[in-house]
Amino acid sequence: MNKVITHHKVLGDERGQLVAIESGIHIPFEIKRVFYIYGTQPNVPRGQHSHHKTQQYLIAVSGSCQVTLDNGQEKVTHILDQPHIGLFQDAMVWGSMHDFSPDCVLLVLANEHYNDSDYIRSYPEFNRILAK
Ligand code: TYD
């Protein structure tokens, strides 16, 4: 799998920390949508789907979680446990978010507006499309 984790520069001083993420500079797409997930449970995974076109960039801005990415050939689990770590999930990569800490706020930046028809929620269907 290509490089998917980025450790962003932390711009900190005595007032606290700041991380800046810019389209086309730190992430490889223009941001059209932002959503965030919180109030999760450690034993309840989320995601478990892929997208035809949507690319995502995930940051645990508070707490921690794990994200397993699967491109059909390789499956890698990443730990997001610092607010300056970003994870790129490309289109046609199956993603599962799991093992959330109670304080986790998972921020997701996306290159497309929400569109239910962009989702692939069946793993066999995901494999069928990859095999085409
Ligand atoms: P869902 O895709 O199940 O979340 P997850 O990827 O974390 O498992 O989304 C939960 C609900 O929110 C579902 O009804 C779709 C809706 N939703 C939007 O309306 N806009 C969005 O951008 C997202 C990601 C979800």
Side-chain angles (χ1 to χ4, degrees):
M1 211 173 277
N2 294 331
K3 179 181 176 288
V4 290
I5 285 278
T6 301
H7 286 75
H8 293 280
K9 189 173 176 185
V10 180
L11 308 164
D13 58 29
E14 65 284 355
R15 297 168 301 162
Q17 313 298 345
L18 185 152
V19 175
I21 297 177
E22 299 196 32
S23 290
I25 297 176
H26 305 106
I27 58 172
F29 56 77
E30 291 291 322
I31 299 163
K32 274 197 189 164
R33 178 164 53 106
V34 173
F35 64 96
Y36 43 95
I37 294 168
Y38 62 99
T40 46
Q41 293 164 53
N43 52 348
V44 181
R46 301 201 54 137
Q48 300 186 302
H49 55 244
S50 167
H51 298 97
H52 292 282
K53 283 170 52 184
T54 300
Q55 299 176 313
Q56 299 190 142
Y57 197 80
L58 299 89
I59 304 151
V61 291
S62 170
S64 65
C65 69
Q66 298 187 29
V67 183
T68 300
L69 297 183
D70 173 0
N71 64 7
Q73 295 186 320
E74 207 186 342
K75 195 169 167 177
V76 181
T77 296
H78 303 275
I79 299 172
L80 302 184
D81 59 357
Q82 303 206 59
H84 65 280
I85 296 177
L87 175 68
F88 176 61
Q89 179 184 355
D90 207 348
M92 289 308 298
V93 171
W94 190 268
S96 170
M97 297 91 103
H98 50 95
D99 291 281
F100 292 93
S101 66
D103 58 344
C104 185
V105 180
L106 181 64
L107 176 69
V108 184
L109 316 175
N111 70 330
E112 299 284 349
H113 292 136
Y114 179 73
N115 175 3
D116 192 61
S117 66
D118 193 51
Y119 280 65
I120 306 164
R121 292 197 172 85
S122 148
Y123 194 74
E125 174 68 5
F126 169 67
N127 276 320
R128 268 195 297 276
I129 296 169
L130 283 179
K132 275 184 196 164

